[in-house]
Amino acid sequence: MPSKESAELADLYRSWVAAMTAKPDMGLDEIRRLFSHWGDVTADPRGVDYLEIEVDGIPAMWAIPHGAVRDRVLLCSHGGGYVVGSMYTHRKLFGHIAKAVGCRALIVDYRRAPENPHPGSVNDMVTAYRWLLEREGLKPQHVALTGDSAGGALALTTIAAARDKGLPLPVATMPMSPWAGMDTSGQTYDTNKDRDALVSRDTTTALGSLFIGEKGNPKDPLANPLYTEYSKFPPIYITVGDAETLLDDSRRIAERAKKAGVDVRIDVFPDMQHVFQFLAGTAPEADDAVKRMAEWVRPKLGLS
């Protein structure tokens, strides 16, 4: 049985859906204000400081746990269909993960669609990764990626784009509920349509069309991780809720990566909503997921 605390996220999602249903002509600015409350359900992690910076002109934020090692970093990409969400909505979530791992996290406020459709977001993430290597002097084996939903997709496509540019690859990646863009062919869009409180075919189509743009290719390997080439990828750890319409996105991504010879682990959490890790510090399921992520990635980063 899911914890009573986990219901808070579903309640938040239902309130958003109700607000948008009641006002079908809601503008993008108002939708973004609605989603700016995403992090309200996340408890503030104790002992984590935040510092806003610019990374080659891109806004970003350091989450710095007290006592964290300086030469290991999580490169973080926020979710929101590439259209909503920000480093502010996600700072506490990534702060919890960074604290559990014991390293700094760089949260990138990549350019969003529709103002900057694909490949704007993945280009910004590659710029941030290159900045960590060249300006911060980090070794690639001391960098791991993580992100949720669209940011979970970026935690995969950023690696493919970095590989295409000849950059050395990070040591690992931890996508949370990665989103396959406009693809809605997964069976769980049907089987979980009455369980998922937020994501439906309609929301995926609406956000996906803004992300891809009029002339974009929804099957672009750098836009849709179902089409990404995973050869030579570092290990992947996917966490996802089994109440999600996007559950099959995670399963199919994992299967594609495994067929390419990648070390893949996927954990499916019973009765959990989309990016249930937002409940870090509030619900035991989220704390368990954060703990598992940290235990998986610490040895890969060379942390005991």
Side-chain angles (χ1 to χ4, degrees):
M1 290 289 293
S3 68
K4 62 180 182 180
E5 294 87 355
S6 67
E8 186 175 355
L9 185 62
D11 290 343
L12 177 68
Y13 286 166
R14 291 189 184 99
S15 73
W16 291 349
V17 172
M20 290 184 288
T21 301
K23 190 176 181 180
D25 60 345
M26 184 179 291
L28 181 55
D29 287 345
E30 191 172 352
I31 293 172
R32 283 173 171 167
R33 284 196 296 272
L34 203 66
F35 277 77
S36 71
H37 292 280
W38 214 342
D40 290 0
V41 298
T42 316
D44 250 312
R46 292 180 179 271
V48 178
D49 297 326
Y50 302 94
L51 177 65
E52 293 188 40
I53 63 168
E54 278 201 358
V55 173
D56 284 347
I58 303 165
M61 179 187 294
W62 282 114
I64 309 170
H66 295 182
V69 298
R70 303 284 301 181
D71 62 348
R72 308 294 199 277
V73 167
L74 299 177
L75 178 60
C76 306
S77 43
H78 70 80
Y82 306 95
V83 173
V84 301
S86 69
M87 63 185 181
Y88 302 110
T89 58
H90 284 62
R91 66 170 182 84
K92 292 187 285 185
L93 168 58
F94 291 128
H96 276 281
I97 298 172
K99 181 178 178 180
V101 175
C103 71
R104 296 182 296 163
L106 183 66
I107 310 164
V108 182
D109 213 34
Y110 58 82
R111 292 171 293 167
R112 297 178 299 189
E115 297 89 343
N116 289 285
H118 177 72
S121 53
V122 71
N123 286 345
D124 285 355
M125 292 304 301
V126 173
T127 295
Y129 178 60
R130 186 192 298 272
W131 182 86
L132 286 174
L133 300 181
E134 296 179 356
R135 296 287 294 276
E136 287 287 295
L138 289 165
K139 299 177 181 178
Q141 61 266 34
H142 291 166
V143 179
L145 273 60
T146 191
D148 67 292
S149 195
L154 281 169
L156 297 165
T157 58
T158 298
I159 296 174
R163 181 190 58 201
D164 292 348
K165 293 180 182 296
L167 294 173
L169 300 188
V171 74
T173 185
M174 301 185 291
M176 297 174 276
S177 305
W179 182 48
M182 291 183 69
D183 190 297
T184 61
S185 62
Q187 291 185 359
T188 46
Y189 268 99
D190 295 311
T191 58
N192 279 344
K193 67 179 181 179
D194 295 324
R195 300 177 68 200
D196 192 310
L198 178 64
V199 183
S200 66
R201 280 196 170 92
D202 287 343
T203 55
T204 282
T205 300
L207 292 173
S209 61
L210 293 175
F211 162 59
I212 289 296
E214 293 182 4
K215 299 180 180 180
N217 175 13
K219 295 183 179 181
D220 183 337
L222 297 184
N224 185 340
L226 289 178
Y227 296 91
T228 299
E229 172 53 57
Y230 289 99
S231 62
K232 300 181 180 179
F233 253 56
I236 301 170
Y237 177 32
I238 298 173
T239 49
V240 62
D242 94 324
E244 296 192 49
T245 56
L246 301 186
L247 173 57
D248 273 353
D249 286 7
S250 289
R251 288 171 171 165
R252 292 185 294 168
I253 290 166
E255 186 60 30
R256 181 172 175 84
K258 286 178 182 177
K259 287 182 178 179
V262 181
D263 177 8
V264 181
R265 171 179 167 181
I266 179 169
D267 282 352
V268 181
F269 290 74
D271 299 311
M272 289 297 101
Q273 290 289 322
H274 185 53
V275 198
F276 64 95
Q277 292 91 339
F278 262 109
L279 294 163
T282 300
E285 296 92 344
D287 290 339
D288 179 34
V290 169
K291 180 182 178 182
R292 294 191 204 184
M293 292 169 71
E295 290 176 344
W296 180 86
V297 81
R298 280 180 58 83
K300 292 174 173 55
L301 286 167
L303 299 171
S304 59

